[in-house]
Amino acid sequence: MPDLNSAIQKTDALIVDVLRHRVGKDERAAKLHDWYKAAILAIRDEVIDRWIDSTRRTYQQGGKRVYYLSMEFLIGRLLRDALSNMGVTEQTQQALAAHGLDLATLEELEPDAALGNGGLGRLAACFMESLATLDIPAYGYGIRYINGMFRQRIDDGWQVELPETWLAHGNPWEFERLESSYRIGFGGEVVADGDAVIWHPAEEVEATAVDTPVVGWRGKRVNTLRLWDANALDPLKLDAFNAGDHAGALADQVRADSLVRVLYPADAHQAGQELRLRQEYFFSAASVQDIVRRHVQYEGDIRTLPDKAAIQLNDTHPAVAVAELMRLLVDSHGLEFNEAWAITQATVSYTNHTLLPEALESWPLPLFERLLPRHMQIVYAINSRVLREARKAGLDDAAIAAISLIDENGERRVRMANLAFTGGHSVNGVAALHTELMKQTVFADLHKLYPTRINNKTNGVTPRRWLQQCNPGLTGLITEAIGPAFLDDTTRLADLNAMAGDAALGEKLAAVKHANKVALADHIRHTMGLRLDPDALFDVQIKRIHEYKRQLLNLVETVALYDQIRSHPERDWVPRVKIFGGKAAPSYHNAKLIIKLTNDIARRINADPSVGGLLKVVFVPNYNVSLAERIIPAADLSEQISTAGMEASGTGNMKFALNGALTIGTLDGANIEIKDRVGDDNIFIFGLTAEEVAQKRSGGYDPRAVIEGSRELGQAISAIATGVFSPDDPNRYRDLMAGITDHDWFMVAADFDAYAQGQRAVDACWNDQARWRAMALRNIANVGWFSSDRTIAEYAKDIWNLT
Ligand SMILES: *Cc1c(COP(=O)(O)O)cnc(C)c1O
């Protein structure tokens, strides 16, 4: 251990030097923002040294590199991550304290890089950190969105979307690499020239790499997150400008900018926008060109690509990379189709994230063909090969129609999932149930044809961000209890099992949780003006707003509980704070209505003296990574209540359990595996199974009868439907409630009674605090397996064949 005092002095000198010479400020005149910049630049220098070492080492070793292609990287803030992973948090904190500064305050100045919608984007960010931690040479490839995911404001209870201006003050973490630029074409025509085929795009933009270092735990390796920026080949048409057409002179640049302007937030809906397909091709093509260029430069022979490169497609958004790689191999490198196909399949693999049919990407064939005429030819060629294989394997017409890369039902469409499935050697689901359902439903026929291709890789989260950094109190307590080994191997948390019944440890755990709740309550009081009682049970549902995630089930139960508390004020109610947060896709009407309903219910309940502080409801605006880091350590109860069969995995569920919240949840996604690990007695499971949901949906389910049979449910639905919570617009929720009454696709009514019972079991358990604490400890102790280090180790071994 180097002496802390000398480390503090060194850090202090470094920061003051950076403040002077690179920020240009004297320490007496420096403002908070200057110190923030100095702190980042000081740690960044150390990161860069490791980055250069890592890159050199990768080239020297000449091993295989992993390329993770993702439309989204929800990385959040990077300062705390860098300090913590480099092991310099303590000395930086103290060096700043000597100047009267608080590190946490500086950290708040960093914008939250929100380049993703939710779980899929956050998974990509956790994976990048784990790849570096496991010392695997890897590049993340995505888009450098200028505005990224929208910022959510709540006006009169409604969601308002604002552009996120995360780059407004520059981004000290990124480095533009002008030498890594590629021309990306769109449209035009394909001409045959002897044996060769030449694509003449009608339009070209330049993709330029912008690199961000990603530090692994203990600073072992620093990998690169390479995000593409778009520029016009001719950013300013000077002749047009001089002729007086000032706007027209910039038109190409504006058009290029639009490619990287925003992330389409319509994550679970068919985004029909041509711009979205352009974005997908733009970043996939730039990435594949970069990968092929690097390989040829260092290895010479394109045929060895699969030995040196593993390309992982995070969902189908980069699926067109399959066709782009084929195009480069055949058109630019002159390989035969069959050889190119073998190389492509050996290099590429694909992760599926959803079974929702409306979220499976497909593009109208005429659009795809107009934008990517050469790729359309390649898709046809791949399809012909795949369908011949299917015919040879004896599959029937229905199976062949399902396998085809072209959907022939109605308007013809290109199926990106089928392209991704056939174009690689591995297709993985993200939790055991999800993988099983993939085999039975969306990919049933492809699975018949390629029975060994589908495999499971249950998601994970990085314990650095989601335990160590977001919950230093708990990290300290665990270290005190079992020593620091869990910091390098989260499965060592299991050592806590032996102490789960230890009352003294339980008390300390409760004290840590209480401090985190006080901190969250303070934050909510400052930002929203709402007072919360930190002794109440903090019941949290934070995630994207979607009908399948069933915020509505939680809200209907909240209303029922409100009724119960008013009817039976003499009972011994457990004081609860219901915390909600999440963004709704701007075009998703019901999701936006659910946000408004949450706020309408909150306004009514929070102002009602007859519940006497026993129940509070709060919708925290602009849910993002930083907010998650604040809320999760303060949660007592984690709501993971999706309709069974619909949540592929979930990763929020893992973060909460790791921070000692108990889960109330359905047998869905990774909840099932969490239950298997923490034990049935340490989780509140309720409701229909995926199989039962499928059965009910296939006929004979009558939600009206269910509602009539449940007094509490009926009263709650009718109160919401008739405007009790929306007296200003009594019909506001009529249709939303009719959805439950008429068809109840998401099984809100069907699961209501079981859920309400589960919540009363939660209450009973909360009243026995010793038991609650022991359960919380058992959760922390047994979810170490859900580290993204474990997930990445499985990808490395089974999919990427890394040695
Ligand atoms: C973890 C995380 C998610 C995913 O949450 P789920 O509950 O699994 O849907 C979404 N958004 C953010 C900001 C996250 O940190």
Side-chain angles (χ1 to χ4, degrees):
M1 250 319 194
D3 172 22
L4 181 62
N5 275 326
S6 69
I8 295 169
Q9 278 170 17
K10 225 180 107 204
T11 306
D12 183 41
L14 195 63
I15 293 177
V16 171
D17 183 63
V18 168
L19 184 71
R20 256 171 199 251
H21 298 111
R22 288 160 69 191
V23 184
K25 281 286 174 82
D26 174 58
E27 53 189 291
R28 269 166 298 181
K31 300 272 189 299
L32 221 48
H33 217 270
D34 300 319
W35 284 106
Y36 152 75
K37 259 196 187 151
I40 287 195
L41 293 177
I43 180 70
R44 195 186 77 172
D45 286 352
E46 296 190 35
V47 170
I48 291 172
D49 289 341
R50 304 275 175 100
W51 198 12
I52 290 171
D53 286 349
S54 302
T55 310
R56 249 187 227 158
R57 202 149 46 84
T58 305
Y59 283 116
Q60 277 162 6
Q61 292 167 349
K64 197 168 184 175
R65 292 179 176 83
V66 171
Y67 298 105
Y68 198 79
L69 271 58
S70 179
M71 191 89 175
E72 305 184 16
F73 286 93
L74 198 48
I75 48 185
R77 292 178 175 142
L78 295 178
L79 175 55
R80 194 189 305 185
D81 196 47
L83 292 173
S84 172
N85 278 2
M86 298 289 286
V88 295
T89 307
E90 176 75 20
Q91 65 212 49
T92 306
Q93 218 155 27
Q94 301 220 17
L96 289 167
H99 299 272
L101 297 158
D102 174 28
L103 174 60
T105 311
L106 296 191
E107 285 170 348
E108 288 294 305
L109 297 175
E110 185 175 358
D112 185 304
L115 310 183
N117 276 296
L120 174 150
R122 186 52 233 174
L123 183 77
C126 284
F127 278 8
M128 286 306 297
E129 200 264 6
S130 279
L131 282 158
T133 295
L134 295 190
D135 202 16
I136 295 173
Y139 292 73
Y141 277 113
I143 296 177
R144 180 183 177 275
Y145 299 104
I146 299 167
N147 295 113
M149 180 64 170
F150 67 83
R151 190 158 58 80
Q152 179 192 58
R153 203 174 68 197
I154 302 296
D155 271 0
D156 186 31
W158 295 101
Q159 168 176 295
V160 177
E161 299 103 31
L162 301 165
E164 181 64 83
T165 53
W166 70 293
L167 293 170
H169 299 284
N171 176 2
W173 295 110
E174 66 180 23
F175 294 85
E176 191 172 35
R177 307 294 191 197
L178 292 174
E179 73 282 8
S180 296
S181 293
Y182 300 92
R183 287 189 174 198
I184 308 300
F186 295 100
E189 56 179 3
V190 179
V191 294
D193 179 9
D195 276 352
V197 172
I198 302 171
W199 174 28
H200 298 291
E203 187 192 332
E204 285 184 309
V205 295
E206 189 162 70
T208 302
V210 180
D211 288 352
T212 299
V214 180
V215 192
W217 173 231
R218 297 207 190 274
K220 249 186 259 170
R221 163 175 284 279
V222 178
N223 278 329
T224 302
L225 173 60
R226 173 159 282 192
L227 302 178
W228 298 104
D229 189 17
N231 283 296
L233 301 185
D234 192 3
L236 174 66
K237 292 207 175 97
L238 211 49
D239 48 348
F241 194 86
N242 288 335
D245 183 8
H246 301 146
L250 293 164
D252 284 2
Q253 186 57 37
V254 170
R255 206 169 150 74
D257 273 349
S258 70
L259 273 173
V260 295
R261 177 58 62 183
V262 295
L263 163 71
Y264 274 110
D267 60 311
H269 289 264
Q270 184 58 57
Q273 293 84 347
E274 172 175 337
L275 185 54
R276 167 97 182 183
L277 177 56
R278 283 176 177 266
Q279 286 183 316
E280 292 183 356
Y281 178 65
F282 168 74
F283 99 90
S284 302
S287 307
V288 172
Q289 290 185 34
D290 199 37
I291 292 164
V292 168
R293 192 253 327 139
R294 185 175 298 115
H295 181 78
V296 171
Q297 184 177 340
Y298 287 95
E299 305 292 335
D301 184 0
I302 190 63
R303 289 176 179 81
T304 60
L305 184 69
D307 302 333
K308 300 290 177 183
I311 299 177
Q312 188 72 36
L313 309 178
N314 193 26
D315 213 321
T316 56
H317 316 140
V320 70
V322 169
E324 176 70 4
L325 181 54
M326 286 296 290
R327 184 181 76 84
L328 295 183
L329 294 177
V330 173
D331 295 356
S332 306
H333 291 271
L335 298 190
E336 291 297 331
F337 184 90
N338 286 342
E339 191 176 16
W341 186 235
I343 290 172
T344 298
Q345 284 188 312
T347 307
V348 174
S349 43
Y350 151 59
T351 305
N352 173 275
H353 283 273
T354 180
L355 306 168
L356 301 184
E358 69 272 25
L360 284 178
E361 274 193 310
S362 67
W363 296 105
L365 194 140
L367 167 65
F368 194 96
E369 183 155 35
R370 174 164 55 77
L371 220 52
L372 302 169
R374 177 57 180 145
H375 300 79
M376 190 68 242
Q377 294 180 340
I378 291 169
V379 167
Y380 274 123
I382 295 171
N383 202 35
S384 131
R385 190 192 159 100
V386 168
L387 296 188
R388 268 184 278 125
E389 279 176 19
R391 191 62 78 187
K392 221 160 73 195
L395 297 186
D396 61 17
D397 286 349
I400 283 176
I403 284 168
S404 176
L405 306 200
I406 315 285
D407 183 354
E408 302 278 355
N409 303 307
E411 179 207 33
R412 300 204 304 160
R413 305 181 74 97
V414 181
R415 290 170 169 153
M416 303 309 272
N418 296 36
L419 176 60
F421 192 114
T422 55
H425 61 280
S426 161
V427 179
N428 74 282
V430 290
L433 172 70
H434 169 235
T435 301
E436 213 30 60
L437 293 173
M438 271 166 64
K439 293 179 184 171
Q440 291 168 20
T441 61
V442 272
F443 295 132
D445 295 294
L446 278 161
H447 179 55
K448 272 183 222 150
L449 187 58
Y450 307 110
T452 60
R453 197 162 295 180
I454 296 181
N455 63 93
N456 179 58
K457 297 287 168 279
T458 299
N459 281 168
V461 299
T462 168
R464 270 73 63 184
R465 184 174 293 261
W466 297 112
L467 175 58
Q468 293 180 38
Q469 293 158 31
C470 73
N471 203 342
L474 181 56
T475 306
L477 177 61
I478 299 170
T479 309
E480 193 186 300
I482 59 171
F486 75 98
L487 298 175
D488 296 279
D489 173 6
T490 42
T491 61
R492 295 292 300 272
L493 287 167
D495 295 352
L496 284 169
N497 276 314
M499 297 170 222
D502 181 333
L505 183 59
E507 301 258 340
K508 287 183 191 163
L509 177 66
V512 165
K513 183 65 80 180
H514 194 264
N516 293 339
K517 289 165 75 175
V518 169
L520 177 62
D522 281 349
H523 176 75
I524 288 177
R525 186 162 47 81
H526 283 130
T527 52
M528 304 179 66
L530 185 69
R531 277 176 195 280
L532 303 178
D533 173 10
D535 290 322
L537 187 163
F538 279 19
D539 169 345
V540 182
Q541 187 170 23
I542 46 173
K543 47 183 76 236
R544 285 174 301 117
I545 310 295
H546 200 292
E547 285 164 286
Y548 87 76
K549 290 178 181 276
R550 295 202 296 191
Q551 282 89 0
L552 212 42
L553 177 60
N554 191 346
L555 289 170
V556 172
E557 203 277 327
T558 303
V559 169
L561 178 62
Y562 174 52
D563 277 342
Q564 289 285 306
I565 294 174
R566 285 187 300 174
S567 311
H568 304 285
E570 79 291 353
R571 284 190 195 156
D572 189 18
W573 295 104
V574 168
R576 272 201 199 224
V577 179
K578 290 251 182 194
I579 299 171
F580 293 84
K583 292 173 181 172
S587 59
Y588 190 173
H589 176 258
N590 277 357
K592 291 179 122 176
L593 208 50
I594 288 168
I595 291 176
K596 174 65 173 164
L597 176 59
T598 313
N599 286 303
D600 275 346
I601 290 174
R603 174 158 41 184
R604 171 73 187 257
I605 292 181
N606 297 350
D608 188 340
S610 65
V611 294
L614 287 175
L615 184 58
K616 280 263 183 317
V617 180
V618 48
F619 185 93
V620 189
N622 202 36
Y623 177 53
N624 59 16
V625 172
S626 300
L627 202 52
E629 290 171 56
R630 214 185 257 288
I631 295 176
I632 291 169
D636 295 305
L637 187 66
S638 157
E639 298 268 357
Q640 307 300 337
I641 59 176
S642 51
T643 312
M646 299 194 80
E647 185 74 89
S649 164
T651 48
N653 46 7
M654 302 167 188
K655 300 169 196 166
F656 280 99
L658 189 58
N659 283 275
L662 303 188
T663 301
I664 182 163
T666 46
L667 288 172
D668 199 16
N671 294 353
I672 298 173
E673 290 155 82
I674 292 175
K675 173 189 82 79
D676 290 346
R677 281 166 198 278
V678 304
D680 294 8
D681 295 341
N682 298 305
I683 189 167
F684 302 94
I685 294 291
F686 72 92
L688 300 171
T689 62
E691 216 175 334
E692 288 163 347
V693 169
Q695 252 164 29
K696 279 209 188 305
R697 281 180 178 168
S698 67
Y701 169 50
D702 176 14
R704 258 171 237 280
V706 172
I707 295 166
E708 272 162 30
S710 169
R711 220 172 102 86
E712 284 184 35
L713 172 62
Q715 284 175 350
I717 288 183
S718 132
I720 296 169
T722 57
V724 168
F725 297 91
S726 54
D728 55 323
D729 178 6
N731 287 328
R732 182 177 294 145
Y733 303 114
R734 201 191 47 196
D735 292 348
L736 193 63
M737 292 300 107
I740 301 179
T741 321
D742 294 348
H743 53 77
D744 194 24
W745 181 254
F746 298 97
M747 302 287 150
V748 170
D751 271 343
F752 178 83
D753 279 357
Y755 177 59
Q757 266 173 34
Q759 289 289 19
R760 300 297 74 79
V762 168
D763 287 342
C765 194
W766 179 260
N767 282 329
D768 181 354
Q769 277 291 307
R771 177 164 164 230
W772 184 281
R773 292 165 191 171
M775 288 170 74
L777 275 169
R778 292 230 179 252
N779 271 264
I780 300 166
N782 294 299
V783 295
W785 186 79
F786 296 95
S787 162
S788 44
D789 296 349
R790 184 269 315 155
T791 315
I792 286 298
E794 289 180 7
Y795 275 81
K797 179 171 161 288
D798 303 340
I799 299 178
W800 305 327
N801 298 313
L802 301 186
T803 43

